[in-house]
Structures are given as C-alpha cells and as structure tokens.
Amino acid sequence: MFQIMIVDDDKNTRRWLRAILSRAGYRPHTASSAGDALELMKSIHIDLVVLDVMMPGMDGYEFTSLLRDCLCDLPILMLSAKQRPDNIKHGFLAGTDDYMTKPADEEELLLRIRALLRRAKIASDHLITIGDTKLDYDTLTVRQGNDSLTLPQKEFCLLYKLLSYPDKIFTRIQLLEDIWGPDSDSMEATVSVHINRLRKRFEDNPDFEIITIRGLGYKAQLKGAEQ
C-alpha cells in the first residue's frame, strides 16, 4: 500500500485529503508543517507528498527545494490556493513534480497522484512493461515476446521517454532538450530522424505506435487505446 504524506497547516484540508486518500486505497499520514513532515519521514517510508505552499515557518517552496538539495526524488504534488502563473512557475523551479490549485477536483487529484506514483515506479525500476513489450533502461534493450533488440542510446532514451507518458504530446524542442541536452548543437531535425528510425524498427509492434501530431510534435499511443 502506497503511503502518502499530506503537509498542510489547515486542519480541514488535512481531514479532507485523508478521507479521499483512504477511500482510494492509500495510507495517508498528516503533518501541519514542514518541520513535522521531516520528523515523520525519519520513521516512515513515504511514497509521495501532497504539499501546501503557504505554511508557517518553512513554506512549501522551501521544503521542496530542501528535499531536492538533499537528492530526495520523492514525488511531490503541490496543492495550493496560489493560482498566479508565477506561483506555479516558482513551484516547478523549486522541484515539484505537479501543481494543482485549490479547490481541487477529487477525481483529477487522484488521477494525478496515480500518474506520479506510476512514473516514480518506472524511474526506480528502470523498466517499462506495455503488453508483451518490455523496455529495460539498464541494458537499452526492448523485448517483445521472444525477440530482443538493443538500441543505440539516443533512440532508446527517446522511446523510453515517449512510453513513460503514453498519449502525452512532446514537442521536438522538448525531446531535443531532454534527450540530447539543452546545450546540444543538434537540430530539431535530429529528433525527426530518430523518430523515423524507431517507427521503422517497431512498425509491426502489437503494443504501441508513435504518432505525429501535426504542428505540435509526437506521442506514443498504445494499441487498442485509439480514440
């Protein structure tokens, strides 16, 4: 059972989140301040943090920055009444993984938590399984049934990125910066070349395909998940 820590100085918010998470099958723990949260983390394994921004003492931005400075990659979802674009930008720059504004829709909140936990598991396991296809990050290998193929590093990382977020559209610039690095001299056309190579390699794969979104970029689509 995933253990989720709620960090919020508002008693009613803590109660509401605890009820939602308990009904969804999670084990919630609550803290009213960043200091209390740090103490709790010493004794309990936490899988994800739902974090308020405005709290006495250390605020949510500072708490997130502290965790990231300590190389803690725990998934963090900021849930705040602060709705201005610069507030949200501040949250992501501090190191949060997602940001929602209050009042939050219960269903959307649970969907985002589920997505963050899934990505965290993929990152820790270095393994993606989609149908009969398995991607092993440590060996750069794609296995489908009894067939195994080791890809060049950039091709593998590109495919791994797309399949980590099925149906999410990535622009060429995003993929270029994520896979080749922000200081790379490579051009956007490099992404297109690698996408075409991946399409050719996996054109008969029964589990996924790579879709071009005209004018935007690319996404991985699971077979059988077409709209």
Side-chain angles (χ1 to χ4, degrees):
M1 181 182 292
F2 287 112
Q3 303 200 96
I4 298 179
M5 181 167 61
I6 303 158
V7 188
D8 198 303
D9 64 330
D10 182 78
K11 177 175 60 177
N12 293 327
T13 299
R14 293 197 303 272
R15 287 176 176 170
W16 177 70
L17 288 171
R18 177 189 282 275
I20 290 174
L21 294 173
S22 295
R23 287 198 301 267
Y26 300 113
R27 180 173 297 169
H29 303 272
T30 61
S32 59
S33 68
D36 290 344
L38 290 171
E39 286 300 315
L40 188 64
M41 291 173 68
K42 293 178 181 179
S43 58
I44 298 175
H45 171 78
I46 299 296
D47 296 291
L48 181 144
V49 177
V50 179
L51 176 65
D52 187 24
V53 171
M54 299 305 295
M55 296 184 294
M58 186 186 301
D59 66 22
Y61 300 134
E62 294 169 323
F63 181 56
T64 300
S65 294
L66 175 63
L67 292 180
R68 298 310 186 219
D69 288 344
C70 295
L71 302 181
C72 174
D73 58 0
L74 191 67
I76 298 173
L77 168 60
M78 281 190 174
L79 181 61
S80 174
K82 298 174 78 65
Q83 302 180 12
R84 292 175 51 185
D86 59 330
N87 300 138
I88 299 172
K89 180 180 178 181
H90 192 175
F92 281 109
L93 289 175
T96 190
D97 296 283
D98 204 352
Y99 192 110
M100 292 185 70
T101 56
K102 297 178 181 178
D105 176 78
E106 179 177 335
E107 183 177 2
E108 181 182 358
L109 175 67
L110 291 174
L111 286 172
R112 293 198 187 202
I113 286 174
R114 191 179 308 156
L116 288 174
L117 289 170
R118 175 180 175 274
R119 293 169 200 167
K121 186 177 189 305
I122 288 172
S124 62
D125 290 352
H126 282 191
L127 183 70
I128 298 175
T129 300
I130 296 175
D132 200 29
T133 302
K134 299 181 184 297
L135 280 71
D136 187 333
Y137 192 93
D138 293 327
T139 62
L140 305 181
T141 300
V142 181
R143 294 183 177 85
Q144 199 276 309
N146 294 322
D147 298 324
S148 178
L149 178 64
T150 300
L151 299 181
Q153 184 181 33
K154 298 301 184 187
E155 281 187 40
F156 182 89
C157 290
L158 182 56
L159 182 62
Y160 196 91
K161 178 76 173 183
L162 292 171
L163 287 175
S164 294
Y165 304 88
D167 285 327
K168 178 175 179 177
I169 300 171
F170 291 94
T171 66
R172 291 179 181 85
I173 292 177
Q174 282 178 312
L175 293 171
L176 186 66
E177 291 186 350
D178 286 349
I179 307 302
W180 281 266
D183 298 324
S184 172
D185 293 329
S186 298
M187 307 294 289
E188 288 182 47
T190 302
V191 176
S192 300
V193 170
H194 282 70
I195 288 287
N196 289 335
R197 288 176 182 167
L198 288 171
R199 280 203 180 112
K200 185 173 179 62
R201 291 185 192 278
F202 299 103
E203 59 186 352
D204 297 323
N205 186 282
D207 299 314
F208 70 87
E209 59 185 326
I210 299 173
I211 304 294
T212 298
I213 308 300
R214 192 174 299 276
L216 292 176
Y218 305 101
K219 71 174 184 176
Q221 182 169 278
L222 308 189
K223 295 286 183 71
E226 295 90 343
Q227 300 298 317

